[in-house]
Amino acid sequence: MSLGSKFLYFCIVGATLVVSTLLFLAPVIGIKASYGLIACLISVGLFRFQRGTTQTFTDGRATKATLIGCFASIAVAIVWPQRVLLLLGFAVIYLFVGLEVFSDQQKSRYGLAAVSSLFFTTGATKFLTTGFYFGNGDVIKHVKFVQALTDTGTLHSIQSSTYQSFPGLQILITTISQTTEITAYSALILTGLFLSAILIPTCVFLYSRQFFTQQVALTAAVVPLLLVPTKFYSVYVFPQTIGLLFILTALVLIEGGNRTPRRTLAITVVGVGLSVFHHFTGLVATILFALVIGVSTMPHLRSVRENKTILATAFILTPLSVWAYRGQSFFDAIIINVTGVVMGWFGSSTAQTAFYWGRTPTTAKTPFQSLLTPDAVYFTGILAISLTGIALLLNRRPDINYRRALPYALIGVLALPLMIKTPITLKSQFRFQHLAVPFFALITGLGLASQRRLIKPIGVPLGVVLIVIVGTTGGFVGADTLTHNGTSEQHSFSDSEFQQIQEASEFARKSDQSISTLWVSSEMMELFGINRISRPRISEKGITSSGLLYYRTNWSDHIVKAGTSVYLVSIHMSGNWLQETVNTTNKVYTTGKTGYVWTGTTTTHNTSSAFDTE
């Protein structure tokens, strides 16, 4: 029995023990966690099913079909912006991409063109169909910074000491916005999306090509297209989005050839670029490349040690040197920011983090139903493919440059627990998933590329079917703007909502009263130049505020956040509760869907009559 087979059977035994224990201690969690055992069983089948050859000859025709499908999708998004239908329609385009990648006569330029086109299209259709997309809120903040920099021309106008020190994204987007005469929001999203769509697949292909065959490298380039973190951060653009591109460029420079003065200078420039774009990405990159250096010092990797260690050292020393030049206060700021993120993983608090006004906690799907959701299918597929890739790596296939691949593949293996769903969720996990994509793509791409055997009834390789399934379900997993039933946060504003908040901000500008509102609404009003917004006090009884309280009726359609820190409290309110609250206070301004009420210093109470029946 090969080492790869032993590894997979060990995974099955381990998963069986974990699931059995959870079924005994916490049956609901055990049933939901059983997707991991299913993935292990599937990976054994994939490992044994790997031998075979394709009979797919596209000569670039699949790429042409991909381009036609992408153009059609964008046209549909403009004329008929139905997000669900577009996500379903992408399954056909994933099929074309898979056929091109698995073609026996595939050429890398065709495959990369197909991958980048679909990558851009999935993000562009989201941009076109979601109005003003703000994701988790950072987009609002960075649009505000770009507008301030455009208006004043000075970095001091950026209302963040952190991003006054890391102004790379703001300077880039301001330049593009002024050059192209498009809004700061459009410049931010489209720039991040375009650069991600071009550079992520291309860079993954170029650096993995140094230790994989062209077929495996091209399949590895497909993986970021399938993963939810890259889909999300290509549209939710903030400094880390661009920071990942610096990491990928560094990987290409390190593995793309022998060490020369020109190459060393180039990677130093990349390090400088990263040091002025994002502190958190720079710190994570330093840790990742330190791991690469550490693994490269292993005795059996001596032949590749010098090139990796010197270039990787040059890359990580550059931002450290720039930061040291800026002084102790700069390092203090990094420590404070990173500590806030890290403590969010494990920190616990006795304070209440969720309030229910006119609602009761909803009952989730039954555990067995959860195994049939797009989330379960997506995570099962990703785990099964990546485990297959690890097994193939352990077998040390002759077509893999094991010594060069090992440092990066090892990081990908270590990142696997972060990339899947577990009962323990870390608050900053999604950000680390994003930065781990270049390494995780290696083991997943290796597992995916091995599935070349034809499925006779449909005449396409199994790998193509996996691309369609994982890509399509991943689209629904990352679709954070579809639900409006009070069970998820709001991540975008429609054009009418955006206009209503803008009109309410004009009213606030003319009023001399103090104004308070909840978090996202406050961020949006600050975007429109209203900087005297206070936060209301939140309790089980309701909202306590002074002066005018700005409300929106669609608060009841979503989980609403309140607070001042990164980790905010959640509010679940019913439509009846919100309507009763508005009706029992003095309306000062209303558009029907939004408005101001005068609350004075009173509390809007939570009453039983305001409960919705569910």
Side-chain angles (χ1 to χ4, degrees):
M1 183 182 295
S2 66
L3 185 59
S5 297
K6 292 179 180 178
F7 165 76
L8 292 178
Y9 287 122
F10 174 79
C11 290
I12 291 177
V13 173
T16 302
L17 291 175
V18 171
V19 171
S20 300
T21 303
L22 288 174
L23 286 173
F24 178 75
L25 298 175
V28 173
I29 296 178
I31 294 172
K32 291 182 177 180
S34 62
Y35 88 89
L37 176 58
I38 297 172
C40 292
L41 294 172
I42 293 174
S43 66
V44 173
L46 295 179
F47 186 73
R48 292 181 173 276
F49 200 55
Q50 60 175 298
R51 297 178 181 86
T53 57
T54 62
Q55 298 177 3
T56 304
F57 303 97
T58 70
D59 296 323
R61 286 175 292 176
T63 296
K64 296 175 183 177
T66 300
L67 294 176
I68 293 172
C70 290
F71 282 121
S73 298
I74 292 175
V76 170
I78 295 173
V79 178
W80 193 34
Q82 296 295 320
R83 185 85 182 129
V84 174
L85 295 179
L86 286 168
L87 291 173
L88 290 172
F90 285 146
V92 178
I93 309 180
Y94 278 113
L95 173 63
F96 294 142
V97 171
L99 290 174
E100 188 60 62
V101 169
F102 277 87
S103 170
D104 285 344
Q105 296 182 353
Q106 54 87 14
K107 296 180 181 179
S108 59
R109 65 177 183 272
Y110 290 145
L112 289 175
V115 173
S116 292
S117 297
L118 183 52
F119 198 127
F120 180 82
T121 301
T122 55
T125 52
K126 185 173 184 177
F127 170 77
L128 291 170
T129 58
T130 52
F132 183 89
Y133 178 77
F134 57 85
N136 294 334
D138 278 341
V139 169
I140 303 174
K141 178 173 63 178
H142 289 290
V143 170
K144 180 173 62 178
F145 293 161
V146 171
Q147 289 180 348
L149 185 57
T150 300
D151 294 338
T152 65
T154 63
L155 295 178
H156 293 293
S157 63
I158 298 176
Q159 296 177 358
S160 167
S161 58
T162 299
Y163 289 108
Q164 285 181 10
S165 300
F166 298 93
L169 180 66
Q170 287 72 34
I171 294 174
L172 173 65
I173 301 305
T174 298
T175 302
I176 293 174
S177 177
Q178 290 185 319
T179 302
T180 59
E181 297 184 351
I182 60 177
T183 64
Y185 167 74
S186 297
L188 178 70
I189 303 300
L190 293 178
T191 299
L193 175 59
F194 179 79
L195 292 177
S196 297
I198 298 297
L199 293 180
I200 291 179
T202 302
C203 288
V204 170
F205 171 79
L206 290 177
Y207 104 90
S208 59
R209 181 66 181 88
Q210 306 307 313
F211 31 81
F212 289 157
T213 63
Q214 178 172 299
Q215 171 70 61
V216 177
L218 189 56
T219 311
V222 176
V223 173
L225 173 65
L226 309 179
L227 296 176
V228 171
T230 39
K231 291 180 179 182
F232 176 78
Y233 282 111
S234 65
V235 180
Y236 181 65
V237 181
F238 77 127
Q240 182 174 310
T241 303
I242 308 300
L244 177 65
L245 305 182
F246 283 107
I247 293 177
L248 284 164
T249 305
L251 290 171
V252 173
L253 290 172
I254 290 173
E255 289 299 330
N258 295 326
R259 178 174 56 88
T260 62
R262 181 177 297 179
R263 190 174 293 271
T264 304
L265 176 61
I267 202 167
T268 302
V269 172
V270 173
V272 171
L274 178 58
S275 68
V276 298
F277 262 82
H278 201 213
H279 54 298
F280 181 75
T281 307
L283 183 64
V284 174
T286 301
I287 297 172
L288 292 175
F289 281 89
L291 287 173
V292 170
I293 294 171
V295 176
S296 299
T297 59
M298 296 170 64
H300 68 291
L301 298 181
R302 186 174 303 148
S303 61
V304 299
R305 181 189 308 168
E306 183 179 356
N307 197 59
K308 274 186 172 63
T309 56
I310 293 179
L311 289 177
T313 301
F315 177 68
I316 65 178
L317 284 181
T318 303
L320 290 176
S321 300
V322 172
W323 297 342
Y325 173 77
R326 293 182 177 181
Q328 182 63 36
S329 60
F330 189 77
F331 279 102
D332 290 342
I334 291 179
I335 292 172
I336 291 172
N337 279 276
V338 174
T339 300
V341 173
V342 174
M343 293 302 291
W345 303 347
F346 309 106
S348 61
S349 173
T350 57
Q352 185 169 347
T353 58
F355 296 93
Y356 293 85
W357 300 340
R359 282 187 184 275
T360 55
T362 57
T363 303
K365 295 182 177 70
T366 65
F368 291 105
Q369 284 179 324
S370 67
L371 295 176
L372 302 176
T373 61
D375 293 60
V377 175
Y378 167 78
F379 285 111
T380 300
I382 287 295
L383 180 56
I385 296 169
S386 59
L387 289 176
T388 305
I390 295 173
L392 293 171
L393 193 67
L394 290 173
N395 275 2
R396 301 187 68 166
R397 289 177 23 165
D399 57 345
I400 300 174
N401 190 326
Y402 178 79
R403 292 183 175 183
R404 295 187 69 172
L406 181 60
Y408 307 111
L410 182 59
I411 296 176
V413 173
L414 294 175
L416 176 57
L418 291 175
M419 306 299 290
I420 60 176
K421 182 177 287 188
T422 64
I424 301 174
T425 301
L426 307 179
K427 288 188 176 180
S428 300
Q429 182 171 337
F430 212 51
R431 296 179 67 180
F432 283 94
Q433 288 178 347
H434 181 234
L435 295 177
V437 163
F439 310 96
F440 186 71
L442 298 183
I443 59 173
T444 310
L446 182 60
L448 187 60
S450 67
Q451 306 307 306
R452 299 181 61 83
R453 186 182 294 273
L454 289 175
I455 299 179
K456 292 182 180 180
I458 56 179
V460 298
L462 177 58
V464 177
V465 177
L466 293 174
I467 287 175
V468 173
I469 293 174
V470 175
T472 304
T473 56
F476 281 95
V477 174
D480 53 358
T481 60
L482 293 182
T483 56
H484 303 280
N485 57 1
T487 60
S488 65
E489 297 176 36
Q490 184 172 11
H491 296 284
S492 66
F493 291 120
S494 66
D495 292 339
S496 60
E497 288 176 311
F498 187 87
Q499 184 177 358
Q500 288 166 3
I501 298 175
Q502 189 172 23
E503 292 172 353
S505 299
E506 288 298 321
F507 176 87
R509 186 174 289 110
K510 300 173 183 178
S511 173
D512 58 357
Q513 298 292 332
S514 61
I515 296 172
S516 63
T517 188
L518 299 181
W519 179 59
V520 170
S521 301
S522 173
E523 292 292 312
M524 285 299 295
M525 295 183 80
E526 289 183 5
L527 178 64
F528 293 123
I530 310 301
N531 297 315
R532 51 187 175 85
I533 308 298
S534 62
R535 301 292 197 272
R537 290 182 295 276
I538 306 299
S539 68
E540 292 182 355
K541 296 180 179 180
I543 304 176
T544 302
S545 62
S546 59
L548 297 177
L549 173 67
Y550 175 69
Y551 71 91
R552 293 189 294 116
T553 57
N554 69 351
W555 278 349
S556 60
D557 296 332
H558 304 277
I559 299 173
V560 186
K561 295 292 187 178
T564 57
S565 64
V566 176
Y567 306 109
L568 307 168
V569 299
S570 300
I571 300 173
H572 308 249
M573 67 178 77
S574 71
N576 287 345
W577 181 91
L578 181 58
Q579 188 63 49
E580 180 176 311
T581 298
V582 172
N583 291 339
T584 55
T585 52
N586 297 319
K587 291 184 182 179
V588 177
Y589 169 90
T590 181
T591 63
K593 297 290 186 179
T594 183
Y596 293 94
V597 293
W598 174 260
T599 59
T601 57
T602 61
T603 301
T604 56
H605 290 286
N606 193 350
T607 61
S608 59
S609 63
F611 276 77
D612 282 343
T613 57
E614 297 186 14

